[in-house]
């Protein structure tokens, strides 16, 4: 499975569509006895877009109405009130300057931010001075920036280091996906994802784990994909002045075998930080003495260090 192509996107309701909705509701509000309700349009709101809090089933010919911030009617949290008979709007103490009230009770908020997330209560005063109260809820999601993959180790050593890769900054209501070499992650004992999938751990990294790695961050209104990230894995086999040395094609690293016994030669334990190789076969190491490894197949093979046979 390849990662999806295309730039990051967000859902955005065109201004013309919002204006049409306001116009229809302003000039055609049918009489009804149904309960007052509040609808958020669009229901999933991206930061920077415009949103309507549509008032449905408003009493016919009300005296006026008022919007409050929060889940109850509180004069200290008054946004604005509207009087029908003279078409007068009065701004309250928490009016923010980019809101519009319409004669049918609907409220428009332009260029919303995450600070606009919360509850809003509409108070409608009817001709008989009775009131109706209803609360609506608005959740504004951020438009996700391009995530950047970071690593806890810029130059990990093969078979020795564990690498932790992190996808972008932590944000709420965000899910994450990973690809390696344009393929989705496969089950592996050496690949571990955090609970939120934002962090990928590569245990005992090898040269086959260089990547490239790509991660994607996604929330209800947008998604964004990282640039490819490649690991610079250093071989544990090094010769002073000559750089990394690669083992022969028919050799495999003993670090990849299980279980991993102590590396012993001539009665002395060998440094575990070096890379030791054995001929390419399927076997399990049982023990080691001197220069020979005793294998489960009862065969004896020579131990090599960075492709050089140990004597």
């Amino acid at each position: 499975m390849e990662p999806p192509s295309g730039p990051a996107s967000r859902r955005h309701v065109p201004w013309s569509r919002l204006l049409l909705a306001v116009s229809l509701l302003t000039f055609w509000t049918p009489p009804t006895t149904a309960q007052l309700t509040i609808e958020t349009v669009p229901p999933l709101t991206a930061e920077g877009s415009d949103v309507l809090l549509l008032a449905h089933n408003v009493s016919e010919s009300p005296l006026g109405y008022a919007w409050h911030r929060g889940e109850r009617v509180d004069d200290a949290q008054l946004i604005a009130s509207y009087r029908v008979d003279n078409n007068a709007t009065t701004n309250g103490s928490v009016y923010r300057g980019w809101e519009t009230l319409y004669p049918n009770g609907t409220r428009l908020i332009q260029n919303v931010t995450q600070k606009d997330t919360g509850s809003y209560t509409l108070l409608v005063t009817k001709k008989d001075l009775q009131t109706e109260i209803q609360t609506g809820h608005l959740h504004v999601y951020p438009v996700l920036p391009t995530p950047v993959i970071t690593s806890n180790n810029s130059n990990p050593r093969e078979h020795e280091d564990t690498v932790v890769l992190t996808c972008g900054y932590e944000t709420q209501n965000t899910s994450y996906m990973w690809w390696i070499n344009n393929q989705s992650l496969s089950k592996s004992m050496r690949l571990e994802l955090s609970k939120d999938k934002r962090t990928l751990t590569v245990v005992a990294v090898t040269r086959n784990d260089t990547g490239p790695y790509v991660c994607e961050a996604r929330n209800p209104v947008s998604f964004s994909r990282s640039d490819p990230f490649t690991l610079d894995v250093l071989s544990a086999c090094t010769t002073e002045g000559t750089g990394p040395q690669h083992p022969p094609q028919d050799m495999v690293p003993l670090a990849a075998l299980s279980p991993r016994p102590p590396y012993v030669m001539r009665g002395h334990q060998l440094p575990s930080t070096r890379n030791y190789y054995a001929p390419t076969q399927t076997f399990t190491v049982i023990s080691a003495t001197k220069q020979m490894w005793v294998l489960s197949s009862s065969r004896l093979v020579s131990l090599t260090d960075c492709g050089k046979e140990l004597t």
Side-chain angles (χ1 to χ4, degrees):
M1 175 181 175
E2 295 187 358
S5 60
S9 68
R10 74 179 186 186
R11 298 170 186 157
H12 184 80
V13 175
W15 166 252
S16 59
R17 191 182 304 174
L18 290 177
L19 188 59
L20 175 61
V22 171
S23 300
L24 290 175
L25 286 167
T26 298
F27 296 106
W28 182 75
T29 303
T32 178
T33 58
Q35 184 179 3
L36 175 67
T37 60
I38 305 299
E39 178 189 5
T40 303
V41 179
L44 298 176
T45 307
E47 191 168 25
S49 63
D50 302 324
V51 62
L52 284 171
L53 295 180
L54 291 176
H56 293 291
N57 305 323
V58 178
S59 298
E60 185 178 5
S61 302
L63 294 179
Y65 60 87
W67 278 97
H68 298 78
R69 184 74 188 254
E71 296 185 353
R72 62 190 180 92
V73 174
D74 182 355
D75 289 342
Q77 295 296 315
L78 176 66
I79 298 169
S81 61
Y82 178 83
R83 185 171 172 175
V84 175
D85 60 354
N86 61 0
N87 195 32
T89 299
T90 302
N91 297 328
S93 59
V94 296
Y95 178 75
R96 299 180 66 178
W98 48 83
E99 302 170 87
T100 303
L101 272 63
Y102 294 94
N104 65 340
T106 290
R107 174 169 166 251
L108 168 68
I109 311 174
Q110 294 177 283
N111 194 26
V112 293
T113 70
Q114 291 183 68
K115 292 182 179 180
D116 293 312
T117 293
S119 300
Y120 296 88
T121 297
L122 173 62
L123 170 67
V124 178
T125 303
K126 299 186 288 185
K127 288 187 295 184
D128 59 3
L129 300 183
Q130 296 296 310
T131 59
E132 292 181 290
I133 298 174
Q134 187 56 263
T135 298
H137 305 278
L138 172 63
H139 193 122
V140 180
Y141 296 90
V143 176
L144 296 173
T146 300
V148 176
I149 297 177
T150 57
S151 172
N152 69 326
N153 191 334
S154 57
N155 298 112
R157 293 181 67 84
E158 188 177 24
H159 305 302
E160 297 175 21
D161 293 335
T162 291
V163 176
V164 179
L165 302 177
T166 303
C167 181
Y169 296 102
E170 184 176 6
T171 57
Q172 293 183 343
N173 302 301
T174 302
S175 59
Y176 301 90
M177 295 182 65
W178 289 86
W179 290 268
I180 303 177
N181 297 317
N182 293 323
Q183 299 294 320
S184 56
L185 297 187
S186 58
K187 291 185 178 180
S188 170
M189 294 291 291
R190 296 190 306 104
L191 295 178
E192 301 174 359
L193 278 174
S194 61
K195 186 176 180 179
D196 63 0
K197 298 185 180 181
R198 179 171 167 255
T199 298
L200 172 64
T201 300
V202 185
V203 179
V205 66
T206 73
R207 276 170 288 175
N208 293 329
D209 298 322
T210 56
Y213 295 81
V214 172
C215 75
E216 179 184 282
R218 181 181 292 266
N219 70 11
V221 299
S222 66
F223 71 89
S224 189
R225 218 170 40 253
S226 72
D227 292 329
F229 178 87
T230 303
L231 283 174
D232 183 14
V233 180
L234 302 179
S235 172
C237 294
T238 58
T239 301
E240 186 175 356
T242 62
Q245 303 295 309
H246 301 290
Q249 290 293 325
D250 60 347
M251 307 298 282
V252 294
L254 293 179
L257 303 179
S258 176
R260 293 178 60 181
Y263 303 140
V264 179
M265 175 160 288
R266 299 186 183 184
H268 298 285
Q269 185 168 330
L270 300 175
S272 60
T273 56
R274 300 298 295 275
N275 230 2
Y276 303 102
Y277 294 83
T280 303
Q281 296 176 38
T282 301
F283 51 67
T284 300
V285 177
I286 297 177
S287 63
T289 58
K290 296 185 179 179
Q291 76 271 24
M292 308 299 287
W293 285 89
V294 181
L295 308 177
S296 58
S297 62
S298 299
R299 296 183 60 186
L300 300 181
V301 296
S302 297
L303 175 66
T304 66
D305 178 6
C306 300
K308 180 179 180 182
E309 185 171 345
L310 300 175
T311 58

